[in-house]
Amino acid sequence: MDGGGNGMAGGDVLERGRDLLWKQFFRDSSEWRDSRSSKRSLRQADLKHKLTKEPLWMDSSHYPSWASEELITRGFTSQHQCIGGAADAFSPSLIWACCKTKDLPRGIRLHDIIQKRNLFEKNYSDALVTMYAKCGELQKAQALLDMHNSSSVVPWTALIAGYGRQGKGQNALELFERMQREGILPNVVTYICILKACAVIGAVDKGKQIHYEILKQHLLDKNIVLGTALVDMYAKCGALTQAQNVLEKLTSRDVVSWNALMAGYVQQGQGQQVIECFERMKHEGILPDAVTYAYILKVYAAIRALDKGKQIHDESSRQGLLDHKSVLGNALVDMYAKCGALPQARSVLERLPYRDVVSWNALIAGYAQKGQGQQALEGFEQMQREGILPDSVTYVAILKVCASIRVIDKGKQMHDEILRQGLLGDNIILGTALVDMYAKCGALSQAHSVLENLPSRNVVSWNALITGYAQEGQGQLALKCFEQMQREGILPNRVTYLCILKACAAIEAFDKGKQIHDEISSRGLLEQDILSCSDLVDMHCKYDTLRKEQSFLENRPSHDDACLSAFIAENGHGQQASEFFKQMEHEDILPKATGHVYFPKERAGIKVINEGKKIHDEILRQGLMEHEIVLGTAVVDMYVKCGALHHAQCVLEKLSFRDAISWNALIAGYVQNGQGLEALECFKQMLQEGILPDEVTYACILKACAAIRAIDEGKQIHVKILRSGLLTHSNGLGSALVDMYIKFGALPQAQSVLEKLPFGGVVYWNALVAAYAQKGQGQQALECFQQMQHNAIRPNSVTFRCLLRLCSHLGLVEKGQELLDNMEAIYGLKPDLECFTCMVDLLGRAGHLVKAVKVIQGMPISADSTIWHCLLGACQKWVDVKVGTWAFKQAVELDKCDGAAYILMLNIYAAAGMQEKAKDIEAMRIENKAWKFPECSSWTDQKACGDRDAATSLFGLPE
């Protein structure tokens, strides 16, 4: 039995090998030598690869069945040879095969053959209509359907589906109605397709009519896919009650049907209903998939539920879902970014097997929202280096960054890119971001010019310009914009009024301000919007009308701290200010928890320390910090964020009462500024005061220990954490402990911590495997991999990349091959380009260059420059001119300006003593201006980078 099994396996391998060779042949037949005309025996191959010498035979016993169609259409052999006779020389099955694979070029060639041979086209029309529809050529499909008017439901359904996919829902509905008029009965697939079309254009009434037809025919009884299409249609049309009713009446539900309903609730911003659906679905025993988790993460991102989001992260990681679905990875990055956990967001993004513009946008927007402009710009540049094209969302975020840190040159560069890509068009959000960027950078004439050239404007775009003029003290121009905006019929909103009131105050346009006051009152905004009140006070205070405004405040139906704080902040009458402050406290309006706490944080955000000190002095003068720890902590936090750690510590020490939160603010500041010893001193003082550290304290202090290599203190803190019991439910603490021990180089301790964590996910294990590999402890890294599996931690692509790199550096060829084979066979992970590159590097270092070539040829994805550099580096090491020439040809076809490829090939020829060939390569490099070099990497052992200087001196090459 074993022998038989091995024989079958061998046959499968042989078949796969043949398939691969034929695919290579059809990909580029010029790489193969055709020996048919000079054959002397049947044993001699018809085709032979010029480089690898792999043989192929043209007779049907030696090629797979699918190759016959390709051979016919490319003219390598006749139909008689391939499919046996003239009667069935051209079967519609050839076209149906193109439908399955969506192979439009082959389908077009087959259609041409039908027309050239005057075959009866109607016999093939169903297959042709279906093929063109599935390949997106809807006009051709429609023309053929109109001409031949098929009576089969299949081509009609295919074309309806095609219209739905392209968002042409109305065309789909018209075709569906015509089909019914002609007496062709829809089947289940037709109904699914037409419901999708209804969803695309929001045609809920038509969807209800189709729902009624489905019910009459009792089609819903056992068809969960049709039921899901109904749920999806109602949800996308916003009819969520009907969507839920349909779902609840389905005889069976699955994760897809629940996802359809959840998608509708997410779209409508009904987060609580999404959470309820999620809980109900799990209660029914239905396992969430990547899409489910993505929806629930959107909800947690919206409500800033970071802990809940982390739980979803751990749950989805355990199921290995992050390795395959970019939608889940993107949602995780977005959740962490919106919750302000930017290091975690970055960590998730870097571990994603596939990054796209959506994941980068989420991270860049997160940096922008947290005021980390430089990091946002660095992320933008890295995204572009990865070849990912920014979209309008990216540019909006980057323009906000340019506005916040006032880098107008970068903003102008973004403006040029936007115009070059034609993104501006009718995109009012992008247009507004441009106006706002120029306005905040003080370039108001450019801002005005952009606004005037926008094809459409709204209140937000006008507000951006009005705000710019108001902030620059150009109140008169702000007022002109305000009037022009109203002439265009655009109604001012809250922000407009706030800005224009400030402008009136700046230029002392009291009459205009009074007019705007009346307008605000007439629209009922004063009662609704306390901020408008505060700006009215601000405006009137400019004119020393204190008594009048005191009366204004007293006559309001309800006071608020924004109005009263504005009064106190702006007027110079200290006695009246104190009286009003007492009145605020008497009425339980506590500025110490709202108004004054807010100001230090705002100042910290913009790091204007002098302004922060003024507010601190005012708080001290009024004695607000004597018993209010929240306010004291806010002042500490303000000084920390401004980098004034000495001031922060002074404030903290003078507080009459301190807690873990106030100490955390200072400790975190010292850690972030690289002052680990000071952080440890604060920690000790905190303990001496009897204040119990919390999870945040320990996480910060572990980072401090890691930074200053304080291993003894780190171990002591580890013991304290264990005693506190915090580790059993804290993801962050476990991560910080593992990270600390890894940075100490104490990898066995790191592994011991990791093995005991109740939630030790694959991310932590990958970090440990990588650490062992970096220290050259290959056996321990492989044992760590085994322990992961023993602990039921499913490895991901990052795990395998670490291990393959390790095998490459240690020369473990067989182990590397085993890992690569097991990725998909055992773990269901498709190796990515980096995995294949590791394998090529491993084989190349060991001298197995032909095997390395086969790995590249067998990849299901296209090779990049890195993999060609890797192979060329190996050819240089082993002086293999033949494989090197082939690899060089592929590299320059991919990028003729690839300087590294030329240098590596030049070195191969030089090592082989072929100086003339080396000079030819150098001449080619100069002709193609191939001066660019990639960053040095482990793939080529820094060959290209290291040899560049030598080549420069040898041949006199330009730098």
Side-chain angles (χ1 to χ4, degrees):
M1 285 178 70
D2 291 343
N6 290 336
M8 286 175 69
D12 289 342
V13 170
L14 188 60
E15 283 299 317
R16 284 199 298 273
R18 280 188 192 150
D19 267 15
L20 186 59
L21 285 174
W22 279 107
K23 284 174 185 172
Q24 289 173 15
F25 171 71
F26 290 129
R27 193 179 303 132
D28 186 0
S29 58
S30 66
E31 293 291 332
W32 295 74
R33 183 175 290 106
D34 191 342
S35 307
R36 287 179 293 172
S37 60
S38 58
K39 277 180 65 169
R40 295 183 181 179
S41 73
L42 292 174
R43 295 182 63 187
Q44 187 177 346
D46 294 316
L47 304 164
K48 192 173 281 189
H49 195 276
K50 294 176 182 176
L51 180 65
T52 65
K53 308 303 181 187
E54 293 281 359
L56 286 175
W57 282 265
M58 283 287 193
D59 91 73
S60 59
S61 62
H62 284 80
Y63 58 67
S65 58
W66 63 266
S68 63
E69 302 162 21
E70 196 71 50
L71 289 166
I72 293 170
T73 54
R74 294 186 182 228
F76 282 101
T77 186
S78 68
Q79 296 118 2
H80 182 77
Q81 287 174 302
C82 287
I83 53 179
D88 61 343
F90 203 87
S91 168
S93 63
L94 297 177
I95 304 168
W96 287 113
C98 297
C99 295
K100 289 180 183 176
T101 58
K102 294 185 182 176
D103 190 343
L104 181 61
R106 185 187 295 177
I108 291 171
R109 288 197 298 272
L110 293 171
H111 193 185
D112 288 342
I113 292 169
I114 290 166
Q115 291 174 328
K116 285 175 184 174
R117 296 182 182 173
N118 294 320
L119 300 174
F120 191 43
E121 191 177 63
K122 186 171 177 62
N123 291 344
Y124 305 91
S125 65
D126 287 356
L128 286 167
V129 170
T130 307
M131 182 272 296
Y132 281 124
K134 287 194 174 182
C135 294
E137 291 288 334
L138 303 184
Q139 284 185 327
K140 287 184 179 178
Q142 183 75 65
L144 282 167
L145 189 65
D146 292 344
M147 186 186 303
H148 299 294
N149 209 19
S150 174
S151 59
S152 167
V153 70
V154 174
W156 291 87
T157 301
L159 187 51
I160 288 167
Y163 280 130
R165 279 193 298 272
Q166 291 193 9
K168 298 176 179 179
Q170 194 56 48
N171 299 69
L173 286 174
E174 289 168 5
L175 189 62
F176 178 73
E177 288 165 0
R178 178 183 149 196
M179 169 185 164
Q180 289 183 302
R181 284 196 304 272
E182 296 189 12
I184 299 164
L185 289 176
N187 61 17
V188 168
V189 179
T190 319
Y191 282 124
I192 290 168
C193 295
I194 199 62
L195 285 169
K196 286 180 181 176
C198 291
V200 166
I201 60 173
V204 70
D205 291 335
K206 185 65 180 175
K208 285 178 181 176
Q209 182 186 327
I210 292 163
H211 185 183
Y212 180 67
E213 287 182 28
I214 290 166
L215 290 174
K216 276 200 307 183
Q217 297 178 51
H218 303 287
L219 295 175
L220 270 181
D221 293 347
K222 294 181 181 178
N223 198 307
I224 195 169
V225 180
L226 183 56
T228 300
L230 266 169
V231 175
D232 184 62
M233 181 275 297
Y234 280 124
K236 283 181 178 164
C237 291
L240 296 171
T241 304
Q242 291 95 319
Q244 185 143 359
N245 287 340
V246 171
L247 182 70
E248 288 175 353
K249 288 174 184 175
L250 292 179
T251 53
S252 62
R253 295 183 279 271
D254 64 2
V255 67
V256 182
S257 45
W258 275 108
N259 285 349
L261 181 59
M262 289 169 73
Y265 282 127
V266 168
Q267 215 169 26
Q268 297 289 320
Q270 298 184 33
Q272 188 55 44
Q273 285 83 348
V274 177
I275 293 169
E276 287 172 10
C277 286
F278 182 63
E279 295 301 328
R280 279 189 61 192
M281 172 181 143
K282 290 198 292 183
H283 182 70
E284 289 181 9
I286 298 169
L287 197 66
D289 65 5
V291 177
T292 321
Y293 286 128
Y295 290 147
I296 203 75
L297 284 167
K298 283 185 181 179
V299 174
Y300 290 151
I303 62 175
R304 307 294 188 264
L306 180 59
D307 290 339
K308 292 281 188 185
K310 285 179 178 177
Q311 289 173 16
I312 298 297
H313 186 179
D314 293 340
E315 200 173 316
S316 55
S317 293
R318 278 196 299 273
Q319 294 179 37
L321 295 174
L322 270 171
D323 300 331
H324 308 290
K325 296 290 183 181
S326 61
V327 66
L328 178 56
N330 293 348
L332 268 170
V333 175
D334 184 61
M335 182 277 295
Y336 280 121
K338 283 183 175 160
C339 290
L342 294 171
Q344 292 97 318
R346 184 72 189 234
S347 175
V348 171
L349 182 123
E350 287 175 349
R351 286 170 169 79
L352 290 180
Y354 305 103
R355 292 188 282 273
D356 59 15
V357 70
V358 178
S359 43
W360 275 109
N361 284 350
L363 183 64
I364 290 167
Y367 281 131
Q369 286 161 6
K370 293 289 283 185
Q372 298 182 25
Q374 193 55 47
Q375 290 91 329
L377 290 172
E378 287 169 5
F380 177 72
E381 287 164 5
Q382 187 178 337
M383 167 185 163
Q384 290 183 302
R385 283 197 299 272
E386 290 182 7
I388 299 168
L389 197 66
D391 61 10
S392 57
V393 177
T394 325
Y395 285 119
V396 167
I398 289 298
L399 287 169
K400 284 181 181 175
V401 168
C402 294
S404 66
I405 60 177
R406 299 200 170 199
V407 283
I408 192 167
D409 291 339
K410 188 70 175 176
K412 285 178 178 175
Q413 182 188 329
M414 295 300 101
H415 190 178
D416 292 340
E417 284 186 25
I418 289 163
L419 293 175
R420 193 162 52 246
Q421 292 185 42
L423 292 174
L424 201 52
D426 292 326
N427 192 325
I428 198 166
I429 296 173
L430 188 54
T432 299
L434 273 168
V435 174
D436 184 61
M437 181 274 296
Y438 282 121
K440 283 182 176 160
C441 290
L444 293 167
S445 58
Q446 288 102 314
H448 208 145
S449 173
V450 170
L451 182 70
E452 286 180 343
N453 289 318
L454 291 180
S456 61
R457 296 183 278 270
N458 63 8
V459 66
V460 182
S461 43
W462 274 109
N463 284 349
L465 185 58
I466 291 168
T467 303
Y469 280 129
Q471 287 175 343
E472 292 292 320
Q474 299 183 37
Q476 202 60 51
L477 288 171
L479 281 170
K480 281 185 179 178
C481 287
F482 179 68
E483 289 161 2
Q484 186 180 340
M485 166 185 159
Q486 290 181 303
R487 283 196 299 272
E488 290 183 7
I490 298 170
L491 199 66
N493 65 6
R494 164 188 172 278
V495 177
T496 323
Y497 285 125
L498 291 178
C499 296
I500 210 65
L501 284 169
K502 286 178 181 174
C504 290
I507 61 173
E508 300 188 354
F510 182 75
D511 292 338
K512 185 67 179 176
K514 183 67 174 66
Q515 181 187 328
I516 291 165
H517 179 185
D518 294 340
E519 190 176 323
I520 293 169
S521 298
S522 68
R523 291 183 59 190
L525 295 177
L526 200 56
E527 289 76 15
Q528 300 168 21
D529 197 336
I530 60 172
L531 290 177
S532 295
C533 164
S534 68
D535 275 82
L536 282 167
V537 173
D538 175 57
M539 180 190 74
H540 288 305
C541 283
K542 300 287 185 185
Y543 308 120
D544 199 24
T545 54
L546 178 62
R547 197 165 297 166
K548 180 178 176 182
E549 293 319 310
Q550 182 173 339
S551 172
F552 168 74
L553 286 169
E554 287 171 349
N555 290 328
R556 278 184 49 77
S558 62
H559 297 173
D560 56 75
D561 61 332
C563 292
L564 292 168
S565 293
F567 179 81
I568 291 166
E570 291 299 335
N571 83 80
H573 303 270
Q575 184 58 39
Q576 289 91 336
S578 296
E579 287 173 9
F580 268 94
F581 203 85
K582 288 174 185 174
Q583 183 182 345
M584 291 165 76
E585 289 186 310
H586 177 71
E587 296 184 13
D588 288 330
I589 302 165
L590 300 176
K592 55 184 175 290
T594 53
H596 280 87
V597 172
Y598 168 73
F599 279 114
K601 287 187 178 178
E602 180 189 64
R603 301 306 182 195
I606 57 175
K607 297 194 174 180
V608 184
I609 193 167
N610 291 331
E611 291 295 315
K613 283 180 180 176
K614 287 179 186 176
I615 294 168
H616 183 194
D617 292 342
E618 178 66 16
I619 290 167
L620 290 174
R621 190 181 66 75
Q622 297 184 40
L624 294 173
M625 283 206 310
E626 290 176 9
H627 305 290
E628 183 52 63
I629 191 169
V630 176
L631 183 56
T633 301
V635 174
V636 173
D637 189 55
M638 178 272 294
Y639 281 121
V640 165
K641 287 192 169 88
C642 291
L645 296 171
H646 174 71
H647 288 293
Q649 185 148 2
C650 288
V651 171
L652 182 71
E653 288 173 351
K654 289 175 183 174
L655 292 179
S656 56
F657 178 74
R658 295 181 281 273
D659 64 2
I661 298 171
S662 47
W663 275 108
N664 288 349
L666 182 60
I667 291 169
Y670 278 127
V671 172
Q672 286 163 5
N673 281 274
Q675 299 180 40
L677 285 172
E678 289 82 355
L680 276 171
E681 286 302 315
C682 288
F683 178 68
K684 289 173 186 174
Q685 190 176 338
M686 173 182 170
L687 293 177
Q688 286 167 3
E689 291 180 7
I691 298 169
L692 202 63
D694 62 12
E695 181 184 331
V696 176
T697 323
Y698 283 124
C700 289
I701 212 66
L702 287 169
K703 286 181 183 176
C705 291
I708 62 174
R709 301 290 188 271
I711 188 164
D712 291 334
E713 287 85 348
K715 287 178 178 178
Q716 290 169 18
I717 290 160
H718 185 181
V719 172
K720 290 180 189 294
I721 291 167
L722 290 173
R723 286 176 184 162
S724 71
L726 290 172
L727 202 57
T728 56
H729 60 270
S730 172
N731 200 352
L733 268 183
S735 170
L737 269 170
V738 173
D739 182 63
M740 179 190 73
Y741 281 121
I742 286 175
K743 284 180 177 165
F744 289 157
L747 302 186
Q749 290 96 320
Q751 185 165 344
S752 175
V753 171
L754 189 51
E755 287 172 357
K756 291 170 186 172
L757 289 180
F759 38 73
V762 67
V763 174
Y764 308 114
W765 283 97
N766 286 347
L768 187 59
V769 169
Y772 276 127
Q774 285 167 2
K775 287 179 75 72
Q777 297 177 20
Q779 190 56 43
Q780 289 90 331
L782 292 169
E783 286 172 5
C784 193
F785 175 61
Q786 295 299 324
Q787 187 62 39
M788 272 179 75
Q789 295 167 294
H790 179 71
N791 288 12
I793 304 295
R794 188 179 178 82
N796 62 14
S797 298
V798 177
T799 321
F800 283 100
R801 285 200 288 270
C802 290
L803 292 169
L804 285 168
R805 285 195 205 105
L806 174 69
C807 291
S808 179
H809 288 294
L810 298 180
L812 304 175
V813 176
E814 290 182 5
K815 186 65 181 176
Q817 188 66 61
E818 178 192 325
L819 287 166
L820 190 70
D821 292 342
N822 287 348
M823 274 188 77
E824 190 161 9
I826 296 176
Y827 302 101
L829 298 171
K830 289 190 176 179
D832 58 15
L833 192 55
E834 194 172 343
C835 291
F836 284 118
T837 306
C838 290
M839 196 64 215
V840 169
D841 185 52
L842 169 58
L843 293 167
R845 286 172 187 263
H848 302 309
L849 297 180
V850 174
K851 288 183 180 178
V853 169
K854 287 183 179 179
V855 168
I856 296 173
Q857 291 174 332
M859 292 191 317
I861 46 181
S862 300
D864 65 355
S865 296
T866 307
I867 208 165
W868 297 123
H869 296 168
C870 177
L871 184 57
L872 283 164
C875 292
Q876 178 179 330
K877 177 181 177 180
W878 300 103
V879 196
D880 191 318
V881 174
K882 193 172 186 179
V883 175
T885 305
W886 176 72
F888 174 70
K889 181 181 177 183
Q890 312 304 316
V892 295
E893 278 182 8
L894 188 65
D895 180 5
K896 69 176 184 179
C897 298
D898 181 356
Y902 290 92
I903 295 298
L904 287 163
M905 192 65 227
L906 185 152
N907 290 336
I908 293 167
Y909 280 134
M914 303 168 72
Q915 296 300 328
E916 290 303 315
K917 288 281 189 182
K919 288 178 182 177
D920 291 344
I921 294 294
E922 176 51 22
M924 192 189 306
R925 184 171 93 100
I926 293 169
E927 181 185 347
N928 290 329
K929 299 179 180 178
W931 316 130
K932 72 176 182 183
F933 285 82
E935 293 295 323
C936 297
S937 73
S938 61
W939 305 129
T940 58
D941 276 333
Q942 299 182 335
K943 290 285 182 193
C945 301
D947 292 333
R948 179 171 44 192
D949 296 335
T952 301
S953 60
L954 182 63
F955 290 98
L957 310 181
E959 293 283 354

